[in-house]
Amino acid sequence: MTETQKIYFYPLWLRIWHGINALCIILLIITGINLQSGSENPLIGFNTCINIHNVSGITVTLNYLLFFFGNLFTNNKSFYIVKPKGFLKRPIKQAKYYAWGMFTGMSAPYPLSEKRKFNPLQKYFYILVMYIAVPIVVVTGIGLFFPEIIIEKIYSISGVSVTAVLHSAMGFFISIFLVIHIYVSTIGKSPLDNFKSIITGWHHIEKNK
Amino acid sequence: MKHCLIIFTFILFTFYSLKSSGQWYDDPVNHSCLKCHAFQTYSFHNDLMDKEEKRLMNPFFIQDTVALKKGVHKQFDCTDCHSYEYETYPHSANLKLEPMATCLDCHGGDETFAPYQFEKIDEEVKKSIHYQVYGENFTCSKCHSQHTYTTTARNSNDVLEIVNYSNQICLSCHNDMRKYMLISGHENPKLVEIHNWLPNQELHFQHVRCIECHTEVVDGLMVSHNIQGKDKAVRKCAECHTSDSRLKSSLYKYQNLQVRSEGGVLNTIFSNDSYIIGMQESPFLKLASIIIFIATLGGIVIHLTFRIIKKK
Ligand code: HEM
């Protein structure tokens, strides 16, 4: 027997943050790829691309402050805390579940609850993206926006180039994250259920009785 | 006349090859010309009144001794090009009429200077907008001072220095009303306003040469000299901001020659001093990212297939 339980997972500020973030990052990815390839796109000119990229970049940066302080001042941060116990074992167990267990009738090793919003694998990826990749992209992005603040040479290598390559690499990582993030979100009560949650705030959890 | 000059140059050349470079200009205070022409003021003996007079020097006639010593013609003394009669002051009025040798008079048809392709440059200059409008009045010397010219593009390994040197040549006239009017008789259009459409204008002018946008790139030539009318100027951003940028066949060809011979993968990623959005695409990183992306999608498709089969 399963019974569905509703939990208010995503407070309003978090949903606002996520909506803006998602929209802007998608714009950034599209325009970023355009800038990278440098081809004159008939739909959006190079100039427009730069403008969109700059405006979305600034929005994501300001928005990141919302995420950061939102977490700092609310209880939401507790979901991001990693315990040293089972540091590698726990995410591996979750990965095995995704790759094998979920098809063979195994029950989820880390069922979600009021205390656990993310499974271990999810948690690790969110931390990587939100506390490493995005900050790096933001900092390098600001650097490219004001090239005069970049260190000129790092050993014998041009500072601007290092910044640019780092910016692209982290941008790429975020894109890959995004693809996986969206796909994994379709794994839920129904494929669209998780998407509804991030809009309404309410998450459905199936409890085995 | 021309033959005389060539023979004259040849003699000069063999003669001065034996001397150490720039020695003529080492001591401006005691140099027969620089004692006046290197300073803001000069003094001379007024024979009529029989007294020493001190006057201000015409600022356009002051020579930069540091630049003179770096110039390609540092082996020369002033009087190798200018008449000996200049040694007396006041200079004789007739000297104003004295014809000066042009670059081609000395360098044309000379095997020693073949790599510079002076004749080809001359041909290109004759096609350029400046020559079309002003003819013989727009001499090579309008851009290349015979006193101080240095071959920066050929010898420097710093892109920014090459750009700055080259642009200074154009700006010294286009941004200087007096020099511009001397040629054209009308005021110079404001470059900043004309190039308003170019974002980050200052950054661009530090990183690309005017000639990148205003000349036709000629592969065989180190520096394209055919400056075309404004209607033919490059305006499309993508001409530079792509992986097969026109900069690679013009500005960066100097640097590329050196970098390619040294570098591995890392070097091609990090080599250029300027980072140009678009142009930086490294084939290695590009391939790696495509592989990672396809692998990710592949993984998702396989997982999805299983989910559909197992109805999960
Ligand atoms: C969050 C703050 C971000 C800021 C402040 C920012 C800023 C910038 C800036 C200033 C540039 C240089 C282009 C220009 O001058 O306008 C740039 C390029 C680029 N950005 Fe961002 N960006 C941000 C986020 C992202 C994200 C999330 C991606 C994700 C894919 C991304 C991908 C790119 C790419 C691919 C380029 C082109 C890099 C290249 O030319 O190699 N950016 N960014």
Side-chain angles (χ1 to χ4, degrees):
Chain A
M1 263 304 286
T2 62
E3 178 193 298
T4 315
Q5 188 195 347
K6 277 168 93 182
I7 305 178
Y8 190 57
F9 255 176
Y10 311 108
L12 184 64
W13 68 265
L14 194 68
R15 282 177 280 147
I16 292 175
W17 165 77
H18 190 272
I20 296 174
N21 195 54
L23 181 73
C24 287
I25 297 266
I26 288 168
L27 286 176
L28 282 166
I29 292 173
I30 295 167
T31 53
I33 290 170
N34 245 321
L35 295 179
Q36 175 86 308
S37 68
S39 49
E40 190 89 77
N41 191 314
L43 285 177
I44 15 174
F46 194 83
N47 241 332
T48 330
C49 261
I50 289 176
N51 289 338
I52 296 177
H53 198 87
N54 287 348
V55 171
S56 319
I58 293 164
T59 315
V60 164
T61 306
L62 296 177
N63 202 31
Y64 185 77
L65 297 177
L66 174 62
F67 176 83
F68 189 81
F69 289 109
N71 272 312
L72 198 64
F73 295 127
T74 70
N75 200 28
N76 203 51
K77 62 176 165 297
S78 62
F79 301 118
Y80 286 91
I81 291 167
V82 178
K83 293 194 195 79
K85 192 168 156 251
F87 183 74
L88 286 177
K89 237 192 221 146
R90 290 159 60 91
I92 290 172
K93 198 163 172 193
Q94 179 69 28
K96 276 190 187 148
Y97 168 73
Y98 274 142
W100 186 250
M102 66 180 278
F103 302 120
T104 55
M106 202 170 122
S107 62
Y110 302 100
L112 307 188
S113 68
E114 284 93 340
K115 292 236 178 67
R116 189 191 290 128
K117 187 152 79 165
F118 314 133
N119 70 50
L121 202 57
Q122 224 177 344
K123 187 193 284 181
Y124 281 40
F125 265 99
Y126 287 165
I127 290 171
L128 276 182
V129 163
M130 289 319 298
Y131 293 103
I132 295 175
V134 171
I136 291 180
V137 155
V138 168
V139 171
T140 52
I142 292 171
L144 291 173
F145 200 58
F146 303 104
E148 59 277 9
I149 62 176
I150 297 178
I151 313 161
E152 248 181 45
K153 294 265 170 184
I154 299 168
Y155 300 104
S156 65
I157 297 171
S158 149
V160 184
S161 296
V162 176
T163 316
V165 170
L166 202 58
H167 189 79
S168 307
M170 283 301 138
F172 177 72
F173 175 76
I174 295 173
S175 318
I176 294 289
F177 161 81
L178 189 65
V179 173
I180 298 173
H181 178 58
I182 293 173
Y183 174 68
V184 173
S185 302
T186 64
I187 304 176
K189 189 163 156 280
S190 76
L192 287 182
D193 196 51
N194 285 335
F195 297 105
K196 286 183 197 142
S197 306
I198 196 66
I199 293 167
T200 62
W202 290 96
H203 190 81
H204 293 108
I205 287 175
E206 292 178 58
K207 285 220 160 155
N208 291 323
K209 278 258 152 138
Chain B
M1 179 69 192
K2 199 168 169 177
H3 291 279
C4 280
L5 272 166
I6 292 170
I7 293 162
F8 168 71
T9 315
F10 183 70
I11 296 165
L12 268 180
F13 183 63
T14 39
F15 178 56
Y16 288 123
S17 305
L18 304 172
K19 299 209 162 197
S20 69
S21 63
Q23 60 160 19
W24 298 112
Y25 307 138
D26 279 345
D27 185 12
V29 183
N30 294 318
H31 187 278
S32 59
C33 314
L34 290 176
K35 65 181 180 206
C36 294
H37 280 283
F39 301 98
Q40 310 268 6
T41 57
Y42 65 97
S43 43
F44 65 102
H45 188 75
N46 186 333
D47 289 332
L48 195 63
M49 311 294 286
D50 195 27
K51 64 168 185 182
E52 281 297 309
E53 294 226 30
K54 203 167 177 189
R55 300 263 173 96
L56 279 174
M57 182 52 113
N58 176 339
F60 293 98
F61 291 170
I62 298 175
Q63 301 302 319
D64 178 345
T65 47
V66 178
L68 272 173
K69 277 196 274 190
K70 284 202 203 116
V72 285
H73 298 132
K74 55 179 177 280
Q75 309 261 23
F76 288 74
D77 192 4
C78 310
T79 44
D80 296 329
C81 294
H82 295 282
S83 165
Y84 274 102
E85 288 175 50
Y86 273 112
E87 284 183 353
T88 51
Y89 192 85
H91 299 322
S92 141
N94 280 337
L95 290 174
K96 276 211 200 302
L97 313 177
E98 181 193 45
M100 298 299 302
T102 67
C103 317
L104 266 288
D105 287 337
C106 294
H107 290 286
D110 189 332
E111 275 302 308
T112 328
F113 305 109
Y116 292 95
Q117 296 176 281
F118 276 90
E119 294 81 3
K120 183 96 201 309
I121 292 180
D122 189 41
E123 258 171 51
E124 292 292 308
V125 169
K126 292 216 159 78
K127 284 190 239 161
S128 79
I129 181 90
H130 293 125
Y131 193 89
Q132 297 294 331
V133 179
Y134 303 108
E136 293 287 349
N137 281 337
F138 209 101
T139 55
C140 311
S141 301
K142 291 285 179 239
C143 289
H144 299 292
S145 158
Q146 292 193 15
H147 301 137
T148 58
Y149 177 60
T150 58
T151 45
T152 313
R154 181 173 288 262
N155 295 321
S156 170
N157 49 22
D158 179 358
V159 175
L160 298 187
E161 190 192 357
I162 295 176
V163 171
N164 182 47
Y165 184 78
S166 174
N167 286 1
Q168 235 22 74
I169 290 178
C170 315
L171 293 174
S172 72
C173 182
H174 276 277
N175 264 357
D176 184 323
M177 210 195 11
R178 287 165 304 195
K179 282 202 186 166
Y180 190 89
M181 281 186 82
L182 174 68
I183 306 236
S184 67
H186 59 85
E187 270 188 41
N188 51 332
K190 292 274 163 297
L191 287 188
V192 178
E193 281 159 29
I194 294 159
H195 297 94
N196 250 344
W197 50 274
L198 189 64
N200 295 17
Q201 200 188 113
E202 209 178 317
L203 186 81
H204 272 107
F205 282 5
Q206 281 162 8
H207 288 89
V208 287
R209 297 177 297 179
C210 315
I211 54 177
E212 246 72 72
C213 295
H214 286 293
T215 63
E216 194 183 19
V217 175
V218 182
D219 274 342
L221 268 187
M222 199 78 174
V223 180
S224 313
H225 271 77
N226 179 5
I227 293 165
Q228 300 177 306
K230 61 181 165 197
D231 46 309
K232 296 223 184 82
V234 172
R235 189 192 279 274
K236 272 183 73 188
C237 322
E239 294 245 359
C240 294
H241 291 286
T242 51
S243 46
D244 57 354
S245 166
R246 69 186 273 126
L247 294 180
K248 281 191 182 163
S249 60
S250 53
L251 181 56
Y252 287 99
K253 77 178 162 195
Y254 316 126
Q255 244 210 347
N256 278 355
L257 295 175
Q258 297 151 14
V259 171
R260 281 216 195 97
S261 54
E262 291 163 14
V265 175
L266 205 67
N267 223 330
T268 48
I269 300 173
F270 294 119
S271 56
N272 283 336
D273 253 349
S274 313
Y275 166 74
I276 301 151
I277 29 174
M279 204 173 115
Q280 206 72 8
E281 247 174 33
S282 124
F284 172 74
L285 289 182
K286 199 174 173 181
L287 187 70
S289 56
I290 290 174
I291 291 173
I292 295 174
F293 193 72
I294 290 174
T296 310
L297 285 187
I300 288 178
V301 168
I302 293 167
H303 199 262
L304 188 64
T305 322
F306 273 101
R307 271 172 72 196
I308 292 166
I309 293 169
K310 294 275 179 180
K311 298 206 174 59
K312 263 285 173 184

